[in-house]
């Protein structure tokens, strides 16, 4: 038996700033998907995605709260708890932000026909979804790395940027899977290879930190991350040039949106989304490298 003398339940974890924020996450998350399933409703892939986001975040947050309350995280030997919670908070912020934009965009109208009940429920869902995003973003703000304080890698700007990079890559893959016609040219297939390669390595870096394996690597983890980031920047530079040329140049594609292209099933729209988020991810990788080098410079000085 454990004779350490400490209480079995870590009640203090619930009444800390982060603990209260997580309780608010449970409150708004449960309210959001309950309203959707009760009367607000959803349909198509967009609605299914939103409901999945809210249920997934609620389930993982419940697990985190229970583990903090019962101290079960100490039994998870193959998991770095600080890295896991920091990475999940960032991921949940991005996912709930996306859902809070998609749901009102596709399901909320100001018209009150045939009855106002459904509309009011959908408005309530939109408000709760926005509040849910805010409390997850608040957790990221509260747990982020601060100068002079010990912290997990995933709580640093570099670690948080890794989660954003992986999330943006998922958006790119979603657009590629929707009538993007990337198989038409070898050059665009190269771009897909760039997105896939960088995404896999980014996920590997995240997993190594969450599982605590980063410190057991034979080569220095910081050197590996810097080299990989430089390679990712060079590859994304090539994709940021090649993809727009083969999609929007008059020789290969169309510089303007075709008039007979239906919304939601238009290759041009998917190609535009890929172009935008290719450049977004390029900027994220550059910011990642700049932050890592700045941190290294300050440490050495």
């Amino acid at each position: 038996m454990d004779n350490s003398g400490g209480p079995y339940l870590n009640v203090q974890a619930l009444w800390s700033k982060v603990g209260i924020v997580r309780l608010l996450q449970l409150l708004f998350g449960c309210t959001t998907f309950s309203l959707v399933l009760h009367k607000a409703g959803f349909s198509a892939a967009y609605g299914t995605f939103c409901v999945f986001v809210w249920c997934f975040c609620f389930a993982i947050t419940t697990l985190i709260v229970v583990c903090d309350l019962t101290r079960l995280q100490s039994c998870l030997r193959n998991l770095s708890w600080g890295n896991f919670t920091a990475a999940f908070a960032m991921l949940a912020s991005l996912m709930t932000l996306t859902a809070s934009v998609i749901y009102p965009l596709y399901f909320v109208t100001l018209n009150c026909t045939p009855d106002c009940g459904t509309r009011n429920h959908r408005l309530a869902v939109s408000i709760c979804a926005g509040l849910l995003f805010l409390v997850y973003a608040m957790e990221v703000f509260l747990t982020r790395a601060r100068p002079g304080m010990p912290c997990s890698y995933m709580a640093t700007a570099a670690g948080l940027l890794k989660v954003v990079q992986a999330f943006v890559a998922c958006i790119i893959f979603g657009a590629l899977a929707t009538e993007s016609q990337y198989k038409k040219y070898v050059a665009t297939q190269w771009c897909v290879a760039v997105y896939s390669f960088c995404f896999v390595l980014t996920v590997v870096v995240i997993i190594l930190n969450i599982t605590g394996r980063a410190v057991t690597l034979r080569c220095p983890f910081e050197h590996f991350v810097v080299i990989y980031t430089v390679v990712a920047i060079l590859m994304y530079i090539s994709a940021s040039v090649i993809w727009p040329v083969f999609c929007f140049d008059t020789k290969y594609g169309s510089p303007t949106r075709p008039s007979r292209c239906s919304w939601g099933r238009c290759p041009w729209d998917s190609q535009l989304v890929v172009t935008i988020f290719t450049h977004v991810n390029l900027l994220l990788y550059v910011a990642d490298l700049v932050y890592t080098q700045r941190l290294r410079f300050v440490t050495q000085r």
Side-chain angles (χ1 to χ4, degrees):
M1 296 180 64
D2 185 7
N3 297 321
S4 60
Y8 288 105
L9 297 180
N10 184 17
V11 181
Q12 185 61 33
L14 296 182
W15 298 115
S16 64
K17 291 181 180 180
V18 176
I20 293 174
V21 167
R22 287 172 179 165
L23 291 177
L24 290 175
Q25 293 167 3
L26 293 178
L27 174 63
F28 291 130
C30 182
T31 304
T32 302
F33 68 74
S34 296
L35 287 172
V36 172
L37 299 178
H38 173 59
K39 194 171 182 179
F42 66 97
S43 61
Y46 300 109
T48 303
F49 169 79
C50 294
V51 175
F52 166 78
V53 166
W54 296 323
C55 293
F56 171 77
C57 293
F58 177 81
I60 301 299
T61 303
T62 301
L63 176 64
I64 291 174
V65 171
V66 170
C67 287
D68 277 338
L69 179 62
T70 59
R71 306 177 194 271
L72 285 177
Q73 72 271 21
S74 60
C75 301
L76 304 175
R77 301 183 183 275
N78 295 324
L79 187 70
S80 174
W81 190 248
N83 282 313
F84 171 72
T85 54
F88 171 72
M90 190 69 229
L91 177 62
S93 299
L94 296 170
M95 294 178 71
T96 53
L97 173 61
T98 306
S100 67
V101 172
I102 290 177
Y103 190 86
L105 183 64
Y106 284 93
F107 298 102
V108 175
T109 59
L110 298 179
N111 296 329
C112 198
T113 55
D115 67 282
C116 296
T118 301
R119 184 205 61 175
N120 294 340
H121 277 75
R122 290 182 175 181
L123 287 173
V125 168
S126 301
I127 294 172
C128 290
L131 293 173
L132 182 61
F133 157 68
L134 290 178
V135 289
Y136 275 114
M138 189 178 299
E139 180 181 349
V140 174
F141 176 78
L142 291 174
T143 58
R144 76 193 190 283
R146 293 176 176 83
M149 295 180 62
C151 63
S152 303
Y153 174 81
M154 296 307 300
T156 65
L160 296 175
L161 282 171
K162 296 292 188 301
V163 180
V164 182
Q165 292 161 5
F167 184 79
V168 170
C170 289
I171 297 177
I172 293 175
F173 293 141
L176 288 171
T178 310
E179 303 291 335
S180 63
Q181 298 181 350
Y182 67 88
K183 296 181 180 179
K184 195 174 181 179
Y185 301 105
V186 175
T188 52
Q189 293 178 26
W190 157 256
C191 295
V192 176
V194 169
Y195 306 141
S196 302
F197 174 79
C198 296
F199 172 76
V200 169
L201 281 186
T202 300
V203 172
V204 167
V205 171
I206 294 173
I207 292 176
L208 285 175
N209 282 280
I210 290 178
T211 57
R213 302 293 183 184
V215 295
T216 63
L217 295 178
R218 294 184 178 180
C219 63
F221 176 73
E222 296 82 2
H223 292 175
F224 166 74
V225 172
V226 169
I227 293 173
Y228 138 71
T229 305
V230 171
V231 172
I233 290 174
L234 295 176
M235 296 181 72
Y236 259 91
I237 288 175
S238 67
S240 66
V241 174
I242 293 173
W243 183 269
V245 169
F246 279 83
C247 291
F248 305 113
D249 187 86
T250 54
K251 183 178 179 180
Y252 305 102
S254 174
T256 58
R257 190 177 189 278
S259 58
R260 296 183 178 181
C261 204
S262 59
W263 292 101
R265 298 187 61 86
C266 184
W268 195 91
D269 293 341
S270 299
Q271 293 165 1
L272 180 62
V273 171
V274 173
T275 301
I276 293 173
F277 283 99
T278 296
H279 289 84
V280 169
N281 234 3
L282 173 60
L283 293 176
L284 290 173
Y285 278 109
V286 171
D288 189 357
L289 181 62
V290 170
Y291 175 81
T292 304
Q293 290 299 102
R294 176 178 175 271
L295 183 65
R296 180 78 173 177
F297 173 75
V298 172
T299 303
Q300 287 182 340
R301 185 179 63 180

